[in-house]
Amino acid sequence: MADDVQCREEEYSKLEGLRINLDRGGKVDEEGGEDGGGGFGFSLCFWIYLSGSARPSSVILKQRNCESEEEAPFLVLNEENKLILLPLMLIHKEAPSSENPFPWTDMLHTAAEVDCPLEKWFHVGCQVAEKYMRLHVDGKLVGEKSLTPLSSNQCQEDMKKITLIGNDGNLGGYIYQVQVLPISASISDQFVKNPPVKLSLDNSCILDGVEEGGDGVWSIVGGKASCRRNFSLEVVLLDAFGRSVHREMEVIASLLYADSGTPVEKTRDDAEAPLLTSCDGLEYPCTDRPVMLLRGHATFKLKISQLSSKCDNRLFRVCFHTSHSQRYPFLEAYSCPIRCISRNRSNRTLGFGKRVSTTVLLDEIHSLKGSDGLQAIRDVYGNGHSKASNQCVSKCSPPSKRCKVEDDRSTKVVVANGISEQTPRKSQEVRMNNLEGTDSGPSDSESTDLKDSDSGWSRESIVSDVTIFRYCLEGAFERSMLLKELIASASNEDIASFANQVSLYSGCSHHRNQILISKQLVQEGDETWISISRNKQRALWIDTIPEINKKFVTIANSSSRPLSGQDLEILRGIAGCGDELSREEFDRMWYWLYPVAFALSKDQVNKIWQCLSPKWIEGFITREEAESAFKGPGALQKAGTFVLRFPTSRSWPHPDAGSLVVTYVGTDSFIHHKLLSLDHRGWDSRLLQDLLLEEPELSQLGRVIRQRNTCCTAEVFTY
């Protein structure tokens, strides 16, 4: 490689500036081995990132004769967007000529069978010898051709006359870790070393304050300070293999117009920055407050001061990028288009929907009057998880004939008794009303009326209204801090009262479950950490495994199915730790694991977790693994194929923590993810498996099979 562009381990360069001198060849024999007297060759390895504007029929690398200045293509994208490797000039009789370089498919070449990915890092390996050439993509051999040498005597010297040059700017791309190695070097070994990184928005980890419409546009409440709401987004730094990268790096958020990508500016009437972040109760412009990546993750708690209606109804995007002076597209991440709306308190057209929702909540709260609801809390804290689960199902809420399966865009109802009637329809209308409205909870007057009408159900509580409203409006981190402060001094009765009031005012009954388990979650987490750390700052991950497994088995009532090795690896990824585990990393893992284990202690879910033939719940698998399994090496799995999994992005006290997700192939040939809400309601006597298979969109159970190369495939069980 030329001295002007040296790609060290941490350096990224534009493709157009690349210059490679082929002066590191190695001697090969007739079979391709080294030192056999059969000729010379080289191995070229590099990572490449092509922009979304890249087009087929483009040259990636061209070869140039330094003496004659003659040029010809070497590595190209053909008309079908597939990678093609061509022979080397001065070396092979089949080499392309500068006089007639196109079309490349008419020349002798070797090509990959799959399309070249865009806006994604992939690894390219080119092995070129006198008598053959080989093309590797992501460490795998994808093409090979035999060649005819021009002259064996001059091969080594002629090769030194050739320089490989990156595209001249017509094809936007970046390269990383370019290496020219002897022909005997292993391409697959180079593939796994020091992969590049990419900043991504974790779309499965949208926390609070975001509602997604059927058109994929997010609705977020913004505007003036008295009305706008927090919303939380998480970005993650991943390597090319999808693993989080532990690297300290500052990330900045800014607000752009979705159609043009230009920054949203302050209006004349507004002195506030368009995108704000909250810190210690104060708001700051996001550009002034970068967030540090910790263990590859960064959570942004944001507010938008601009409204789409005041910007010609244009949509926005949040752009995240590193604080480096050099902006790279792979170190930028963008949210979905955002429609920023105001909270309309005077609009009563949605009152019916809200009344239906709050009436249901009142019915549930009335059922907690007396000792039943409080007894359930005492059972959770005093008598173990199994008894608590039965109490919650039978006493904490009225009998229900359905369990909701929720999507980001719509509500699905799994009917337990085969009768849908109007109840599922009303439930869906309420959810759609809340999505279309500008406020996800009751207005001030409605909240006051409801509170006054039910003033007798709760004794005087130590929890103030301010704390209740803060909990309803803040993000997950602030909620966890509030709950830790509360459980340190509040009684079980106060916690139960707080849980009911939050459910009432937020309009989401699932908050109740996360609040009710808080004291036990925190206490057992503290005890577990003391046990595995032995009062030290950090603990070896391998030493924590037995204790974590023991706790999981106890909480989930799952003695016949402890955590598998793959489950533990997923937990390790959630924690974001290496060989050692800090308290912060342990808490991150524990806040995800405890709600999952608690959900598994419920009778209906426990039965399908314990069932291994077939395996109804595929342990702990990520969204990416489930999608990869359904896509497989060939075509998409048959419509109706589904798997059950726990979303790795939902942690306590998120209302969906511990819930199951149904990932399935729809009739539209797309992969869908729907949330199966486990809200401790009473179900009928039939198994959850049977209820799922009654759904027209779910017809056959799939199973994710992990292979050694970390790829996933799916087996299908038909019923």
Side-chain angles (χ1 to χ4, degrees):
M1 185 184 301
D3 294 337
D4 57 335
V5 180
Q6 292 291 331
C7 285
R8 295 182 297 272
E9 177 179 338
E10 300 297 334
E11 185 177 355
Y12 302 90
S13 300
K14 289 185 177 181
L15 177 60
E16 61 187 270
L18 183 63
R19 300 291 186 274
I20 305 171
N21 293 326
L22 303 179
D23 55 359
R24 297 178 122 186
K27 195 174 182 182
V28 298
D29 60 16
E30 299 294 337
E31 304 297 328
E34 192 174 9
D35 298 330
F40 288 84
F42 66 91
S43 294
L44 172 64
C45 303
F46 59 91
W47 288 91
I48 185 169
Y49 179 98
L50 297 177
S51 68
S53 60
R55 295 293 182 265
S57 302
S58 301
V59 177
I60 297 176
L61 291 176
K62 58 185 176 181
Q63 47 186 313
R64 175 185 293 173
N65 185 338
C66 298
E67 293 183 349
S68 65
E69 297 299 320
E70 181 183 10
E71 293 183 351
F74 176 70
L75 186 68
V76 301
L77 284 177
N78 68 2
E79 298 89 336
E80 299 177 351
N81 202 40
K82 292 179 171 55
L83 210 59
I84 283 184
L85 179 65
L86 297 165
L88 207 61
M89 63 169 55
L90 303 181
I91 308 299
H92 304 122
K93 291 182 179 180
E94 300 86 355
S97 169
S98 59
E99 299 177 356
N100 187 23
F102 189 84
W104 303 304
T105 51
D106 295 340
M107 310 173 193
L108 182 68
H109 66 274
T110 183
E113 294 183 357
V114 297
D115 290 350
C116 186
L118 301 179
E119 298 184 341
K120 178 182 179 181
W121 284 108
F122 64 98
H123 188 266
V124 177
C126 305
Q127 288 182 309
V128 181
E130 287 182 81
K131 298 183 179 181
Y132 65 85
M133 61 179 178
R134 296 169 182 162
L135 178 62
H136 301 251
V137 175
D138 287 344
K140 297 179 181 179
L141 180 64
V142 297
E144 181 176 13
K145 284 291 183 181
S146 298
L147 301 172
T148 306
L150 285 172
S151 172
S152 299
N153 297 330
Q154 296 295 323
C155 178
Q156 184 177 12
E157 294 301 319
D158 289 341
M159 191 176 296
K160 294 180 180 180
K161 300 176 183 178
I162 299 174
T163 299
L164 299 181
I165 302 174
N167 181 271
D168 59 5
N170 296 326
L171 181 69
Y174 291 82
I175 52 94
Y176 170 79
Q177 201 172 8
V178 179
Q179 293 178 297
V180 180
L181 304 170
I183 189 69
S184 59
S186 171
I187 300 294
S188 58
D189 288 346
Q190 301 304 317
F191 167 60
V192 299
K193 291 180 180 178
N194 302 319
V197 298
K198 186 178 187 300
L199 192 68
S200 301
L201 180 69
D202 191 348
N203 287 318
S204 64
C205 197
I206 300 168
L207 300 179
D208 297 298
V210 177
E211 295 287 357
E212 184 177 359
D215 55 357
V217 176
W218 292 350
S219 292
I220 292 174
V221 177
K224 56 185 180 181
S226 60
C227 296
R228 57 182 174 241
R229 288 186 173 182
N230 280 319
F231 65 99
S232 300
L233 299 176
E234 182 169 329
V235 295
V236 58
L237 187 66
L238 303 174
D239 64 18
F241 305 127
R243 303 172 302 197
S244 59
V245 178
H246 308 328
R247 183 175 304 171
E248 291 189 357
M249 183 183 297
E250 285 188 339
V251 180
I252 301 172
S254 58
L255 194 65
L256 310 177
Y257 287 111
D259 53 358
S260 63
T262 57
V264 178
E265 303 290 348
K266 297 180 182 179
T267 62
R268 294 181 180 178
D269 300 330
D270 194 351
E272 292 183 303
L275 190 64
L276 304 167
T277 185
S278 299
C279 182
D280 298 328
L282 300 176
E283 294 180 349
Y284 301 91
C286 279
T287 52
D288 297 343
R289 293 275 174 157
V291 176
M292 181 68 71
L293 284 169
L294 297 176
R295 296 293 181 179
H297 295 261
T299 299
F300 287 79
K301 299 171 180 62
L302 307 170
K303 293 182 179 180
I304 299 178
S305 64
Q306 294 292 334
L307 294 174
S308 294
S309 59
K310 293 185 178 181
C311 298
D312 298 325
N313 290 320
R314 298 172 71 180
L315 302 179
F316 307 133
R317 284 184 191 270
V318 178
C319 172
F320 302 93
H321 62 87
T322 61
S323 58
H324 295 160
S325 57
Q326 175 66 43
R327 292 280 293 268
Y328 295 107
F330 47 86
L331 292 180
E332 295 178 352
Y334 295 86
S335 72
C336 291
I338 294 172
R339 180 178 292 107
C340 191
I341 58 178
S342 63
R343 182 188 304 172
N344 187 357
R345 295 187 180 277
S346 62
N347 187 353
R348 297 293 177 179
T349 59
L350 302 181
F352 173 75
K354 292 178 183 176
R355 289 291 184 182
V356 172
S357 177
T358 51
T359 300
V360 173
L361 287 171
L362 280 175
D363 290 341
E364 295 174 358
I365 293 170
H366 279 295
S367 72
L368 288 172
K369 290 182 180 179
S371 61
D372 287 350
L374 299 179
Q375 182 62 41
I377 304 300
R378 295 190 185 100
D379 290 336
V380 171
Y381 299 140
N383 299 330
H385 300 278
S386 298
K387 184 176 180 180
S389 65
N390 295 330
Q391 291 284 350
C392 286
V393 171
S394 61
K395 296 181 179 181
C396 285
S397 59
S400 174
K401 297 182 179 179
R402 65 188 185 280
C403 53
K404 297 178 183 176
V405 179
E406 300 174 334
D407 189 14
D408 292 337
R409 295 165 299 202
S410 61
T411 300
K412 182 69 181 176
V413 180
V414 178
V415 183
N417 58 7
I419 303 175
S420 58
E421 294 183 347
Q422 296 180 355
T423 302
R425 189 177 298 113
K426 286 184 179 179
S427 176
Q428 188 166 3
E429 289 172 356
V430 171
R431 174 57 60 90
M432 292 304 295
N433 279 335
N434 286 335
L435 284 175
E436 294 170 2
T438 56
D439 191 355
S440 60
S443 66
D444 288 345
S445 60
E446 288 173 330
S447 300
T448 304
D449 293 341
L450 289 171
K451 185 177 179 181
D452 292 341
S453 67
D454 198 42
S455 58
W457 63 265
S458 176
R459 69 177 180 85
E460 184 178 355
S461 174
I462 66 171
V463 184
S464 66
D465 288 344
V466 174
T467 302
I468 295 169
F469 287 124
R470 279 186 61 195
Y471 190 92
C472 295
L473 296 175
E474 291 288 2
F477 177 77
E478 288 81 3
R479 287 172 178 168
S480 66
M481 294 297 101
L482 286 172
L483 286 176
K484 288 179 181 179
E485 293 177 5
L486 175 65
I487 63 179
S489 56
S491 65
N492 293 341
E493 288 81 357
D494 288 321
I495 294 173
S497 173
F498 178 68
N500 293 329
Q501 292 182 69
V502 167
S503 297
L504 175 65
Y505 288 118
S506 67
C508 178
S509 62
H510 296 175
H511 281 300
R512 178 192 294 110
N513 303 329
Q514 304 303 319
I515 296 172
L516 295 183
I517 67 173
S518 295
K519 181 175 287 189
Q520 197 74 8
L521 180 148
V522 173
Q523 288 178 352
E524 293 202 25
D526 291 340
E527 295 170 1
T528 304
W529 173 250
I530 292 173
S531 175
I532 63 179
S533 66
R534 298 179 177 86
N535 293 321
K536 296 181 180 179
Q537 295 294 326
R538 305 182 71 86
L540 290 175
W541 171 257
I542 193 171
D543 293 338
T544 68
I545 293 176
E547 187 67 21
I548 292 173
N549 226 329
K550 177 182 176 182
K551 285 290 184 180
F552 172 80
V553 168
T554 302
I555 299 168
N557 190 22
S558 177
S559 58
S560 63
R561 187 181 176 185
L563 297 173
S564 67
Q566 182 62 37
D567 295 337
L568 292 167
E569 281 303 307
I570 294 295
L571 290 178
R572 191 175 185 179
I574 292 172
C577 68
D579 294 333
E580 291 185 333
L581 183 73
S582 68
R583 178 60 195 265
E584 180 184 359
E585 293 163 343
F586 169 79
D587 286 344
R588 189 182 301 129
M589 179 271 297
W590 184 255
Y591 294 165
W592 184 86
L593 179 63
Y594 189 95
V596 169
F598 193 82
L600 288 173
S601 69
K602 307 308 170 188
D603 187 56
Q604 286 272 29
V605 186
N606 191 266
K607 288 179 180 178
I608 63 175
W609 170 259
Q610 303 280 10
C611 181
L612 300 179
S613 182
K615 186 179 285 187
W616 278 89
I617 300 180
E618 282 294 338
F620 302 158
I621 61 175
T622 65
R623 175 190 181 121
E624 291 74 21
E625 285 180 322
E627 291 182 348
S628 176
F630 283 153
K631 293 175 182 177
L636 199 66
Q637 290 287 336
K638 181 180 177 182
T641 306
F642 71 95
V643 295
L644 299 176
R645 62 180 181 85
F646 291 100
T648 54
S649 61
R650 299 298 195 256
S651 299
W652 176 86
H654 193 285
D656 296 333
S659 297
L660 275 170
V661 166
V662 183
T663 298
Y664 69 95
V665 180
T667 55
D668 55 359
S669 297
F670 285 96
I671 298 175
H672 300 270
H673 306 272
K674 290 189 177 181
L675 193 68
L676 177 61
S677 178
L678 306 176
D679 54 0
H680 307 286
R681 296 176 182 271
W683 295 335
D684 69 8
S685 59
R686 286 182 297 165
L687 297 176
L688 181 58
Q689 302 95 297
D690 298 331
L691 305 182
L692 289 167
L693 289 172
E694 286 180 358
E695 285 300 297
E697 294 174 304
L698 310 178
S699 58
Q700 51 194 16
L701 176 65
R703 182 178 180 186
V704 177
I705 306 297
R706 296 181 177 92
Q707 300 176 346
R708 292 183 179 179
N709 61 358
T710 71
C711 295
C712 296
T713 59
E715 288 183 355
V716 176
F717 297 93
T718 304
Y719 294 87

